[in-house]
PDB file of all heavy atoms in Angstrom:
ATOM      1  N   LEU A 297      12.882  26.705 -26.899  1.00  0.00           N
ATOM      2  CA  LEU A 297      11.429  26.596 -27.000  1.00  0.00           C
ATOM      3  C   LEU A 297      10.956  25.146 -27.065  1.00  0.00           C
ATOM      4  O   LEU A 297      11.663  24.271 -27.579  1.00  0.00           O
ATOM      5  CB  LEU A 297      10.950  27.328 -28.255  1.00  0.00           C
ATOM      6  CG  LEU A 297      10.887  28.850 -28.158  1.00  0.00           C
ATOM      7  CD1 LEU A 297      10.716  29.463 -29.546  1.00  0.00           C
ATOM      8  CD2 LEU A 297       9.775  29.297 -27.220  1.00  0.00           C
ATOM      9  N   THR A 298       9.758  24.920 -26.557  1.00  0.00           N
ATOM     10  CA  THR A 298       9.092  23.624 -26.720  1.00  0.00           C
ATOM     11  C   THR A 298       7.633  23.866 -27.082  1.00  0.00           C
ATOM     12  O   THR A 298       7.069  24.911 -26.741  1.00  0.00           O
ATOM     13  CB  THR A 298       9.164  22.766 -25.437  1.00  0.00           C
ATOM     14  OG1 THR A 298       8.455  21.525 -25.675  1.00  0.00           O
ATOM     15  CG2 THR A 298       8.515  23.468 -24.258  1.00  0.00           C
ATOM     16  N   GLY A 299       7.052  22.900 -27.756  1.00  0.00           N
ATOM     17  CA  GLY A 299       5.620  22.957 -28.026  1.00  0.00           C
ATOM     18  C   GLY A 299       4.836  22.548 -26.792  1.00  0.00           C
ATOM     19  O   GLY A 299       5.403  22.171 -25.754  1.00  0.00           O
ATOM     20  N   THR A 300       3.513  22.643 -26.922  1.00  0.00           N
ATOM     21  CA  THR A 300       2.654  22.129 -25.853  1.00  0.00           C
ATOM     22  C   THR A 300       1.607  21.219 -26.482  1.00  0.00           C
ATOM     23  O   THR A 300       1.181  21.439 -27.624  1.00  0.00           O
ATOM     24  CB  THR A 300       1.996  23.265 -25.047  1.00  0.00           C
ATOM     25  OG1 THR A 300       1.497  22.744 -23.811  1.00  0.00           O
ATOM     26  CG2 THR A 300       0.850  23.915 -25.809  1.00  0.00           C
ATOM     27  N   ILE A 301       1.230  20.187 -25.750  1.00  0.00           N
ATOM     28  CA  ILE A 301       0.218  19.234 -26.211  1.00  0.00           C
ATOM     29  C   ILE A 301      -1.023  19.404 -25.347  1.00  0.00           C
ATOM     30  O   ILE A 301      -0.930  19.421 -24.117  1.00  0.00           O
ATOM     31  CB  ILE A 301       0.736  17.785 -26.119  1.00  0.00           C
ATOM     32  CG1 ILE A 301       2.030  17.632 -26.918  1.00  0.00           C
ATOM     33  CG2 ILE A 301      -0.322  16.798 -26.620  1.00  0.00           C
ATOM     34  CD1 ILE A 301       2.711  16.288 -26.710  1.00  0.00           C
ATOM     35  N   LEU A 302      -2.171  19.553 -26.007  1.00  0.00           N
ATOM     36  CA  LEU A 302      -3.443  19.719 -25.291  1.00  0.00           C
ATOM     37  C   LEU A 302      -4.128  18.361 -25.149  1.00  0.00           C
ATOM     38  O   LEU A 302      -4.175  17.578 -26.110  1.00  0.00           O
ATOM     39  CB  LEU A 302      -4.360  20.681 -26.053  1.00  0.00           C
ATOM     40  CG  LEU A 302      -3.761  22.036 -26.406  1.00  0.00           C
ATOM     41  CD1 LEU A 302      -4.763  22.860 -27.227  1.00  0.00           C
ATOM     42  CD2 LEU A 302      -3.370  22.791 -25.147  1.00  0.00           C
ATOM     43  N   PHE A 303      -4.655  18.096 -23.973  1.00  0.00           N
ATOM     44  CA  PHE A 303      -5.363  16.842 -23.692  1.00  0.00           C
ATOM     45  C   PHE A 303      -6.730  17.149 -23.098  1.00  0.00           C
ATOM     46  O   PHE A 303      -6.921  18.175 -22.437  1.00  0.00           O
ATOM     47  CB  PHE A 303      -4.597  16.009 -22.665  1.00  0.00           C
ATOM     48  CG  PHE A 303      -3.421  15.249 -23.211  1.00  0.00           C
ATOM     49  CD1 PHE A 303      -2.153  15.805 -23.176  1.00  0.00           C
ATOM     50  CD2 PHE A 303      -3.573  13.981 -23.741  1.00  0.00           C
ATOM     51  CE1 PHE A 303      -1.060  15.103 -23.665  1.00  0.00           C
ATOM     52  CE2 PHE A 303      -2.494  13.269 -24.228  1.00  0.00           C
ATOM     53  CZ  PHE A 303      -1.231  13.839 -24.190  1.00  0.00           C
ATOM     54  N   TRP A 304      -7.666  16.210 -23.293  1.00  0.00           N
ATOM     55  CA  TRP A 304      -8.977  16.326 -22.646  1.00  0.00           C
ATOM     56  C   TRP A 304      -9.445  14.944 -22.224  1.00  0.00           C
ATOM     57  O   TRP A 304      -8.995  13.914 -22.750  1.00  0.00           O
ATOM     58  CB  TRP A 304     -10.008  16.975 -23.582  1.00  0.00           C
ATOM     59  CG  TRP A 304     -10.233  16.239 -24.884  1.00  0.00           C
ATOM     60  CD1 TRP A 304      -9.550  16.415 -26.046  1.00  0.00           C
ATOM     61  CD2 TRP A 304     -11.183  15.193 -25.142  1.00  0.00           C
ATOM     62  NE1 TRP A 304     -10.014  15.557 -27.015  1.00  0.00           N
ATOM     63  CE2 TRP A 304     -11.026  14.794 -26.485  1.00  0.00           C
ATOM     64  CE3 TRP A 304     -12.158  14.558 -24.362  1.00  0.00           C
ATOM     65  CZ2 TRP A 304     -11.797  13.786 -27.061  1.00  0.00           C
ATOM     66  CZ3 TRP A 304     -12.931  13.557 -24.943  1.00  0.00           C
ATOM     67  CH2 TRP A 304     -12.753  13.191 -26.277  1.00  0.00           C
ATOM     68  N   LYS A 305     -10.395  14.954 -21.278  1.00  0.00           N
ATOM     69  CA  LYS A 305     -10.989  13.689 -20.809  1.00  0.00           C
ATOM     70  C   LYS A 305     -12.399  13.971 -20.314  1.00  0.00           C
ATOM     71  O   LYS A 305     -12.613  14.932 -19.567  1.00  0.00           O
ATOM     72  CB  LYS A 305     -10.161  13.122 -19.652  1.00  0.00           C
ATOM     73  CG  LYS A 305     -10.643  11.767 -19.126  1.00  0.00           C
ATOM     74  CD  LYS A 305      -9.743  11.278 -17.997  1.00  0.00           C
ATOM     75  CE  LYS A 305     -10.107   9.864 -17.563  1.00  0.00           C
ATOM     76  NZ  LYS A 305      -9.180   9.369 -16.513  1.00  0.00           N
ATOM     77  N   ARG A 306     -13.341  13.141 -20.759  1.00  0.00           N
ATOM     78  CA  ARG A 306     -14.697  13.245 -20.221  1.00  0.00           C
ATOM     79  C   ARG A 306     -14.759  12.511 -18.894  1.00  0.00           C
ATOM     80  O   ARG A 306     -14.116  11.465 -18.721  1.00  0.00           O
ATOM     81  CB  ARG A 306     -15.699  12.624 -21.185  1.00  0.00           C
ATOM     82  CG  ARG A 306     -15.935  13.458 -22.421  1.00  0.00           C
ATOM     83  CD  ARG A 306     -17.186  12.972 -23.131  1.00  0.00           C
ATOM     84  NE  ARG A 306     -17.285  13.530 -24.465  1.00  0.00           N
ATOM     85  CZ  ARG A 306     -17.753  14.749 -24.731  1.00  0.00           C
ATOM     86  NH1 ARG A 306     -18.133  15.531 -23.750  1.00  0.00           N
ATOM     87  NH2 ARG A 306     -17.832  15.180 -25.969  1.00  0.00           N
ATOM     88  N   LEU A 307     -15.524  13.058 -17.979  1.00  0.00           N
ATOM     89  CA  LEU A 307     -15.703  12.431 -16.673  1.00  0.00           C
ATOM     90  C   LEU A 307     -17.124  11.912 -16.551  1.00  0.00           C
ATOM     91  O   LEU A 307     -18.039  12.462 -17.179  1.00  0.00           O
ATOM     92  CB  LEU A 307     -15.442  13.448 -15.560  1.00  0.00           C
ATOM     93  CG  LEU A 307     -14.037  14.026 -15.504  1.00  0.00           C
ATOM     94  CD1 LEU A 307     -13.945  15.059 -14.384  1.00  0.00           C
ATOM     95  CD2 LEU A 307     -13.006  12.921 -15.285  1.00  0.00           C
ATOM     96  N   PRO A 308     -17.323  10.880 -15.744  1.00  0.00           N
ATOM     97  CA  PRO A 308     -18.690  10.372 -15.555  1.00  0.00           C
ATOM     98  C   PRO A 308     -19.539  11.380 -14.795  1.00  0.00           C
ATOM     99  O   PRO A 308     -19.027  12.116 -13.945  1.00  0.00           O
ATOM    100  CB  PRO A 308     -18.476   9.094 -14.746  1.00  0.00           C
ATOM    101  CG  PRO A 308     -17.161   9.265 -14.081  1.00  0.00           C
ATOM    102  CD  PRO A 308     -16.335  10.135 -14.975  1.00  0.00           C
ATOM    103  N   VAL A 309     -20.819  11.435 -15.130  1.00  0.00           N
ATOM    104  CA  VAL A 309     -21.738  12.239 -14.324  1.00  0.00           C
ATOM    105  C   VAL A 309     -22.162  11.394 -13.133  1.00  0.00           C
ATOM    106  O   VAL A 309     -21.859  10.196 -13.056  1.00  0.00           O
ATOM    107  CB  VAL A 309     -22.951  12.701 -15.152  1.00  0.00           C
ATOM    108  CG1 VAL A 309     -22.522  13.698 -16.203  1.00  0.00           C
ATOM    109  CG2 VAL A 309     -23.674  11.534 -15.782  1.00  0.00           C
ATOM    110  N   SER A 310     -22.879  11.997 -12.217  1.00  0.00           N
ATOM    111  CA  SER A 310     -23.130  11.330 -10.936  1.00  0.00           C
ATOM    112  C   SER A 310     -23.912  10.033 -11.069  1.00  0.00           C
ATOM    113  O   SER A 310     -23.832   9.165 -10.206  1.00  0.00           O
ATOM    114  CB  SER A 310     -23.848  12.282  -9.976  1.00  0.00           C
ATOM    115  OG  SER A 310     -24.969  12.826 -10.626  1.00  0.00           O
TER     116      SER A 310
END
Side-chain angles (χ1 to χ4, degrees):
L297 282 167
T298 179
T300 197
I301 303 172
L302 307 177
F303 281 93
W304 59 271
K305 183 179 186 177
R306 287 195 193 278
L307 298 178
V309 292
S310 51

